[in-house]
Structures are given as structure tokens and as C-alpha cells.
Amino acid sequence: MKYTTACPRNCYSTCAMTVEVEDGRLRRIEPHPGNLATPEGPCLKGLSYVERVHSKDRILRPLRKNTRGDFEPVSWEEALELITEHLTRLKRDYGPQSILYYSGSGTKGLLNAVGMQFWRMFGGCTTTYGDLCWPAGLEATRLTLGENKHSAPWDAANSRLIILWGKNSAETNIHQMLFIHQALEKGAVLVVIDPRRTQSAERAALHIQPRPGSDGAIALAVANRLIETGAVDDEFITKHVLGFEQFREHVAQYSIEWAAEIADTPAAQIEQLADYLARIKPAMINAGFGMQRYTNSGQTLRAIIALTAVTGNIGKPGAGWMFANLQSAVFDAVKDPLAFYPPKEPDGVVRVSISTAQLGRGIPEQHDPPIKMIWVERGNPATQNPDTNTVLKAFRSLEFRVVIEQFLTDTAREADLILPAKTMFEQTDVIGAYWHHYLQLKQKVIDPPGEVKPESEIYYLLAQRLGFDERDISKHIPGPSDADVQSYLKRALAKFPELSLKKLKDGPTPAPGAQETAFSDLVFPTPSGKIELYSEQAREWWDVSPLPEFFEPQESRRGKAGPKGRYPLYLMTPNTKNRIHSQFNNLELIRQVSPGPVVYIHPQDARERGIRDGQRVRIFNDRGELSLPAQLDFGLKPGCIAVTNGWWISQGGAVNFCSSSRETDMGCGAAFHDTLVEVEVEGASR
Ligand SMILES: Nc1nc2c(c(=O)[nH]1)N[C@H]1C(S)=C(S)[C@@H](COP(=O)(O)OP(=O)(O)OC[C@H]3O[C@@H](n4cnc5c(=O)[nH]c(N)nc54)[C@H](O)[C@@H]3O)O[C@H]1N2
Ligand SMILES: Nc1nc2c(c(=O)[nH]1)N[C@H]1C(S)=C(S)[C@@H](COP(=O)(O)OP(=O)(O)OC[C@H]3O[C@@H](n4cnc5c(=O)[nH]c(N)nc54)[C@H](O)[C@@H]3O)O[C@H]1N2
Ligand SMILES: [Mo]
């Protein structure tokens, strides 16, 4: 049998695919032409599902840690009873907020919302606010344009100037390269701004390698040059931009030389960038998520978006600001700015929340009530959240830990009870995307193996045991059968006459009301109804200047840590082609192309430290350390080292031992990349 489905990983592409199933096993995965953004179909990771789903390492039964610290299988009956006992006791003794509900980005889907509904019925819980991924950029975009959306991915082919600003599409959004190549074939110019010489830069006419965290300075100086030389779109500005006069006066002080000095990059390159933006239209700027994980990056992104506004590159084919396209987020609260704040009190139920960026510090710091138990699903905080030592310590201080997982990850190893998790092929769900504007059906194509139960079923069973109101349960939690799940999804879809399960079964469906050319109506839902270069809300909500400003990240070579400080190297921890964060690297297929972690270091930095290619080195700062083989890389900016994030502690490459747990300047994101380290040959100081 062949089925149409879609990949629910936290990835730009969100590919449509056709899967072939035989005798209850996945046999083949092929492209599905219905998604115009991913016509070539899934990447190697997508193809590796055939291995992943049937992997011998999958957790197929509930596992309980015994007194020796080993995991032993237990029945669902025992597992649910154990959870019920802890929940009842903790709620009675400390209140429901003594339980921390932590959910990560492991899989997308409408059914993910069931978890929060369960905890609401339980009487509340402690949750996390903010996000590890993208909030600084989302908030910068919302403040400026009013909404997070961008044009259809294929519109890049109409662009004459494409600027990948801190985005490595060749690895993290491979399908975008197709449209970029189409544009290049028609004579477009590609600019890449990235301290690393990535695969995305191979065909770039200009590759600027800024010092990490310094992009805001470049953007402000370019804005000034465009204004000074009259290369701005006066008509567009008059009609659609608020605060241009203040912005003009503000950036007048920023010369190209000033930016070149701060960004440690040749002035001629910044001039070239300004010249391209002055001359070439339509121009598209695509900022990645990596560069908005600094303590100054909300303001950095506001400065970069301003470049698209002053040049009138908004609302037209081939032009625009690309960051996140949330047009398919028609069901969730992600568009709601308040979703970034410590949650208010829905339905009168008190919810307390702690910062995702500061999980390790937040858990022990909560006292009223203290956190006693954690419930983790779809996440791997032991490797993915900042400052791993604090996260592990916080986990280990708790009384009871439940983790729902497919594999024995670092987080699962910390659990008292592991519940086996479904894969994308074992429960039907509706998923959106954040690059294209399709809604897609992720179909159930096989039964869950072993004793695996989807999360919604686990919640359903617990809700029964805890004696929740039956009407409440039937409203918010689907029952265990496939038909129950379908009717739950149908109810959610019923709000939209354009959508139905039947339609989604045929293939990807554009989200209701989605625009292919974003902002083509020139409607900007900001307080003023215009693009806000001057934003009162920026000051009110985040206590930053209403105008985009440049300031140093808190942990920077030019800040207090200084070039003469103990930790002179920027630790960059980007994403990589053959993993989604901490997923996939345990598979045979993936290990063939990505055998183990290494640290990339520029030969100049290596020579200064007596490090040879392949030699094992210690990477460290006051927060933690890790030990890896060095790989010399001429493509890196000197002063920066790079380790891709997502390797497990048990695989020896968990980068977050060194990262810092500060929040970004806006949006409550995690400023992972505010991280300085030193590197030495292993054993040198011992
Ligand atoms: N294959 C694959 N695809 C993925 C993912 C994955 O793990 N694997 N993850 C998905 C998710 S959740 C995300 S968030 C996205 C992220 O994907 P991207 O948006 O591409 O973000 P990153 O890989 O974090 O960083 C992109 C680039 O920014 C550069 N960079 C870092 N700091 C700076 C800076 O200060 N200035 C500039 N100009 N550049 C900087 C890094 O060197 C890196 O090459 O990818 C999604 N797609
Ligand atoms: N240093 C550094 N750290 C980073 C980043 C960085 O750039 N640098 N990037 C950050 C970013 S952008 C992100 S998005 C986060 C990602 O961090 P996380 O949100 O923790 O995501 P993953 O690492 O993908 O881990 C998700 C886990 O969910 C499990 N899973 C998958 N599907 C299901 C399911 O259906 N049910 C359940 N219960 N589990 C499932 C997977 O097996 C996996 O172990 O990492 C962040 N961490
Ligand atoms: Mo992310």
C-alpha cells in the first residue's frame, strides 16, 4: 500500500512524501509532488525513517529504573499506577504546580495540544515559557511588520538579489537551494553572511564573515549608506513606514568603517553589500534562526528587517523579509505574542512557568511550590537546553521523572520511568510548517509496535484514572481508537470550510487565507498599521530602544570578557545536514555519513595552541567542558570554533556543557551563542 504523508520534524522543509508499506513494515519513501516547496522529496534523514521506525534500539515498553540504576520493563498498568500515585501525592502535598510539564520540538502536530489540556484538567502545572529556537526573530518581525509571514518558498526563484543572513540553507533547508539555484541561473546575485564558510556560500558572489553577534552594526551602517546616497524608496517609505525620520537621524552616526571595525570584516565587503541593495531589485533577505540566539539579536534582526523596508522590498514578487512563515499556524497560539510571556491564567487555573532558556536554574529557583516532578515529551533537554550541568543537576534533584521517548536519549537515561513514544507513522495528525504555507496530513500507516501508545492515549488513560470529568475528557482528549483521533481532528478542521480530512488525505493543502506574496496587500498589523522602524512596543515590552540599535552581546570578545579574557574563542554550535538537533545520529545509515563529533578550528587558532589536525582537544569555560578531535578548517573565521549541536552526552559531543543560559533581548529565547571558550590539547593543563 502507498500512502501520502508528511514529515513532522522541526525543520523548515516539512516535506510531503509517499510511503510504501508491506506486511506492517515501511519499505520505501518517495517524493510526493503535491508540495511545491519540496518537489524533490525528503532528505537522507527522511529516507532513514525506514531504519528508524523499525530500529532495534527503539523503546517498545514502559521502562522503570530499579535501585541499581538499570531500566526494567514494567506493564502499562504498573506504569500508569506509579504515575497516578505520584501525581495524586504531589498535588495533595504541594499543589499541582509542583509538577513541571516540559515539551520540546521533537514532532509537530495538532494533537500536541492535548498535553496542556490534560494538565489544565489536572488543576494546572508549571510549564516553560519562551523557546529554544526562534523567538527573538519572531518578536523582531512582529514588532516591525506586525506578523510573521513570508512569500512562498518558490518565489525565491524570482529574486535578483538573495541574502542568506546567518542561514545555512544547504544544510538546514536543502529544498530552498533549488529555488536559489533557479534564481542564480537567471543571473541573480547571492550574498551569504556567516562567520563560517558553509556549503550555502559555494555560489555566493559575496561572503561576509562577521564576528559573531556583530551583524546589527553591519545592518545599521548599510542603512545609513543607502539613506545617504538616496538609494531608498521614498514613495514606499512615505506610505508604509513609521519612524523613518527618527531612524535616519539615528543611523547617521554609523559609518561603514565603524561597522567594519566592530564586525572585524573588510569595509569593502560591507560597501559591496550596500551597493547590491542599492542597485538590485527585487531583493530578498532571509535571516536564519542561528544568528538570533545572542543577547542582542532581537535588535539585530530589527536592524536587518529595516533594510528591506527602506528599499521598498516588501509585498512584491522576488522581494521580502524571510524569517518564519506562520501562515499555516491556523490552530495554535504561536502567533499570539502573549505565548512568549509567562502564561497568564487560562480558565482561572493558576499556571506557573519557568524560562526554557534557563531550565537548569529555573527548576531549583522555584519555591512556591517547589518543583518535585518533571514530565518530558518530544524533547531532549539534557543535550539541547543551555548549560547542561545545571540541567542535569536540576533533574537529579527531583523526586520523580517521566520521559516519553522513542530512544534511550540522555534525557531518557535520567528518567525514573520511560514511556515508549510513537513515531510519525503510528498516529494520524495534521501538521503545519514554518517555511511554506501548506497544511498536511501525517497519516497513520502502521500500528504502533510493541506496547507503544501515542501521548494522547496515555493522557486519556491517566485522565480516567485520576477521575477527571467525563465531559471535559471527551471534549479535550481523543479516545484511544483511530476513529476517536479522526473525529478530534475533524472537529478542529471544522472551523475552516476550505479544509477537511478527506482533502488533506490527497495531499498538501494551502492554509486558509495564505498569501503567496506576503504583504502584497500592504496591510501591516502593527499598532500604527505601518512598518514600524520606531516601535513603542519594543520599549514597553522588552525595555530596548524603540529604534534598532547595536550593542555587544553579553558574552563577547569586545565586552567584559575581552580579547585578553580567559576565554577568547566563540563557540558556534550550528545545525547540520544529517540530523535534526539530537535526532537521527543513532542510526546506522546516518552514522555512515556522520560518524562522530569533531570541533572545527581555524589553522591559525590551532597553531597558536599547538593543536594538530585530528588531535583530541579540550573545549572549556567556567560552565563546563567537552573533549573532541580537532578538524582544521580554513573556512572558519579565526577566533571562532564550531561543533554541530545535537550529539548526545553518551556520544561524547554535547555542546551545551559550555553554552550559557541567558535570554535573548526580546521574545524570551535562548542566547546559546553568547558562549566564549578556550581550547587546549587534551591533558595539557593536567
Ligand atoms: N538538517 C537540519 N535541518 C534543520 C535543523 C537541523 O537540526 N538539521 N533544525 C531546524 C531548526 S529547529 C532550526 S532552528 C533551523 C536552523 O537552521 P538555520 O536557520 O540555518 O540556523 P543555524 O544552523 O543555527 O545557523 C545558521 C548559520 O548561522 C551562522 N551564524 C551563527 N552566528 C552568527 C552570527 O552572529 N552572524 C551570522 N551572520 N551568522 C551566524 C552559523 O554559522 C550557521 O551556519 O534549521 C531547521 N532545519
Ligand atoms: N548549543 C545549541 N543548542 C541548541 C541549538 C543550537 O543551535 N545550539 N538549537 C536549539 C534549537 S533551534 C532547537 S529547535 C532545539 C531542539 O531541541 P529539542 O526540542 O529537544 O528537539 P530534538 O533534539 O529534536 O529532540 C526531540 C526528542 O523528541 C523525540 N521525539 C520525536 N518524536 C516524538 C514523539 O512523537 N513523541 C515523543 N514523546 N518524543 C518524540 C526524539 O526522539 C528526540 O529525542 O535545540 C536547541 N539547542
Ligand atoms: Mo530550532
Side-chain angles (χ1 to χ4, degrees), residues 197-218:
R197 185 179 182 130
T198 60
Q199 289 176 11
S200 309
E202 269 169 25
R203 290 184 73 185
L206 172 66
H207 177 207
I208 301 180
Q209 293 186 282
R211 184 172 59 86
S214 69
D215 303 80
I218 297 179

Side-chain angles (χ1 to χ4, degrees), residues 10 133 293 581:
N10 180 1
C133 188
R293 297 194 198 104
H581 297 291

Side-chain angles (χ1 to χ4, degrees), residues 551-574:
F551 49 89
E552 280 294 327
Q554 287 178 34
E555 195 163 320
S556 120
R557 281 187 64 164
R558 291 172 67 112
K560 268 192 283 179
K564 295 196 185 68
R566 285 206 292 151
Y567 304 119
L569 298 170
Y570 288 95
L571 173 62
M572 314 199 60
T573 53

Side-chain angles (χ1 to χ4, degrees), residues 10-11 105 131-134 289 292-293 434 575 581:
N10 180 1
C11 170
S105 71
D131 192 271
L132 298 177
C133 188
W134 56 356
F289 298 166
Q292 48 89 63
R293 297 194 198 104
Y434 54 82
N575 293 326
H581 297 291

Side-chain angles (χ1 to χ4, degrees), residues 485-504:
V485 170
Q486 300 226 350
S487 58
Y488 179 95
L489 296 175
K490 272 184 193 152
R491 251 191 292 151
L493 292 171
K495 278 182 262 169
F496 305 97
E498 307 91 322
L499 299 174
S500 69
L501 268 190
K502 196 170 159 301
K503 201 165 166 199
L504 286 170

Side-chain angles (χ1 to χ4, degrees), residues 255-275:
S255 68
I256 300 264
E257 290 67 30
W258 167 82
E261 208 262 323
I262 288 180
D264 183 27
T265 191
Q269 291 190 343
I270 303 178
E271 269 178 17
Q272 179 75 70
L273 173 65
D275 182 55

